[in-house]
Structures are given as structure tokens and as C-alpha cells.
Amino acid sequence: MSIDLVWQYLCSPAFFQGAVMTLLLTLCSLFFGVVMGLILALLQESRFRAGPALAFVYLWLFRGTPVLFQIIFVYNVLPTFGLRFSAFTCAVLALSLNEGAYMAEILRSGLQAVRSGQRTAGMALGMTGGQIMRKVVLPQAARIVLPPMGNQMISMLKSSALVSVIAVQELLLVANQTASASFRYFEALCAAGIYYLVLTSLFMVFQAWLERALDPKKRRKPAGSLTDRLIRAARQPAPR
């Protein structure tokens, strides 16, 4: 093993651009996957029969087939129907559709975890259904679904390596091409592994920060702060 060669790969523009492409694929797919998952979760909670039926078909289809199959299908089959996209767009589309199926179950469990009595209380206060969902249900559901969504973020980062089959220049494809040219697979794959570990570590730090930001107990100011002392002083009766 050559440490200098690993460091050379880490600092090379090709590996850096591959890591940026991997990160971009992950973030785009997560964003559209969460949007799709929220729509499906709301469809499952819909009072209309067509909503749960459509959501069930979607989940059955995309959870029942491998993500690699979906990537190849989108890239090779859609052009036969006149739908031609770039390799990057096909990768984001396939990953987003797959991610939406799993995000739907995570978000649905979070929505169902909020007690129905809080919705009733919101209606008693004169809030509309949209206001109840936006101000009462979603803030509480967000704290519940954040840990499993964090796991999906890391899983999506690793699943993005599958798009190398459609020649998207992501991190693993760059490492494989570099190793094929020099036959130094160990050093090239070590460099790619370090990039993956750095990206997953950043996601874990971001998840921990977000959990702390959404937790009202952790956001609460210490009892001995200046604000608390001023409040206690204001509540004391004035001297006669």
C-alpha cells in the first residue's frame, strides 16, 4: 500500500468531482424523495378510497423491485416512449421514486404517532385542516421521523453508487476507472472509502444538530440564565 498514492487520489480533481457528484445525487434524490413520500403518506391518510389504493400500488411496485432494476429501467426504457433525459436526470428520477416509497412509510408512521386529540383541540380552536397539519401535526411528526430519515439519508448516499451502471461520474465509478488504468485498486478504493466516510460523518453531524434543534427540551434555556432571573424578579410582589 502506498500512502502517498492514496493522498494523491484524495487530492485529485477527479475524485473530488466524483464526491461532489455523489453528494449532489444524494441531496437531489432525498429532496424529491421526501416530497413524494409526504404526498404518498397524505394519500394513505386520505378519506377517499382512490388515495390509499394509489399509494398501495406505488409502494408495492417500488418496494418490490430492486433499485438497480429501476435505474436501468428508467435509463433504457423511457427513451422508447420518447422521454429522453440525461444520465444524471435519470439517476435522480430513479433514486427519488425509490426513496419516496420508503419515506412514505416513515412519514406515515410519524403522522399517526401524533395523537388525534391534538387535531380535535385544533379544530376546537377554529383552525383549518391545513393549519392543524402545518402548525400542530407536522412539527411533532418531524421530531419522530428524524432518526429513521437520517438512516435513509446515509442509505441513499451509499445507494448512489449504483448509478455507475448508467455512466454517471460519481465517486465509485471514478475510483474504478482510476484503478483500472493503473491496476492500483487498493489505493483507489481506499481513497473512495475515505470520501464516503467523510460524507456520512457530515450527515450524522447534521442529523444530531437537527434533532437538537427540533427538541424543545434541549432548546430550553438553563434555569439560572439572566432571562429566568428577570422573570422570577418580575413575579415577586413589590415591597410595601
Side-chain angles (χ1 to χ4, degrees), residues 6 32 119 141:
V6 173
F32 292 112
R119 293 182 173 90

Side-chain angles (χ1 to χ4, degrees), residues 4 6 18 33 44 57 73 133 141 187 217:
D4 294 336
V6 173
Q44 288 178 300
V57 172
F73 186 92
M133 181 63 65
E187 288 83 358
K217 296 180 180 179

Side-chain angles (χ1 to χ4, degrees), residues 44-232:
Q44 288 178 300
E45 298 292 322
S46 175
R47 298 179 181 179
F48 301 101
R49 293 183 178 180
L54 289 173
F56 172 79
V57 172
Y58 185 98
L59 297 178
W60 169 75
L61 181 62
F62 285 95
R63 292 175 64 187
T65 54
V67 62
L68 183 59
F69 167 84
Q70 296 165 18
I71 294 171
I72 297 174
F73 186 92
V74 169
Y75 184 72
N76 292 312
V77 176
L78 289 186
T80 62
F81 296 96
L83 301 174
R84 299 185 180 276
F85 304 107
S86 65
F88 177 82
T89 303
C90 289
V92 171
L93 178 60
L95 292 175
S96 300
L97 292 174
N98 180 269
E99 189 69 12
Y102 293 94
M103 284 294 181
E105 293 299 294
I106 294 174
L107 294 173
R108 182 178 65 87
S109 64
L111 293 176
Q112 291 180 347
V114 180
R115 297 179 180 178
S116 59
Q118 299 193 30
R119 293 182 173 90
T120 305
M123 295 174 63
L125 292 174
M127 300 175 68
T128 63
Q131 289 176 331
I132 294 174
M133 181 63 65
R134 187 175 66 255
K135 297 182 178 181
V136 179
V137 178
L138 288 181
Q140 298 181 68
R143 294 195 296 268
I144 298 171
V145 304
L146 189 56
M149 285 182 67
N151 290 333
Q152 283 298 120
M153 289 171 60
I154 297 176
S155 178
M156 172 58 64
L157 176 67
K158 294 181 289 186
S159 297
S160 65
L162 296 173
V163 303
S164 60
V165 298
I166 59 174
V168 177
Q169 292 293 321
E170 50 80 43
L171 182 58
L172 187 60
L173 181 60
V174 171
N176 192 35
Q177 290 175 342
T178 304
S180 299
S182 62
F183 296 100
R184 304 301 295 264
Y185 284 92
F186 189 81
E187 288 83 358
L189 292 178
C190 280
I194 292 173
Y195 267 111
Y196 278 118
L197 289 174
V198 169
L199 292 176
T200 53
S201 299
L202 291 176
F203 278 5
M204 293 171 66
V205 170
F206 176 71
Q207 177 187 347
W209 173 82
L210 202 56
E211 288 180 0
R212 184 178 182 85
L214 292 176
D215 192 346
K217 296 180 180 179
K218 295 180 180 180
R219 287 182 299 170
R220 192 173 298 167
K221 296 180 180 180
S225 64
L226 177 60
T227 304
D228 292 326
R229 292 198 299 268
L230 291 175
I231 293 175
R232 288 197 298 268

Side-chain angles (χ1 to χ4, degrees), residues 10-31:
L10 286 173
C11 298
S12 67
F15 273 76
F16 180 76
Q17 291 174 4
V20 171
M21 177 62 71
T22 295
L23 182 61
L24 187 61
L25 275 169
T26 303
L27 295 178
C28 292
S29 301
L30 279 172
F31 174 78

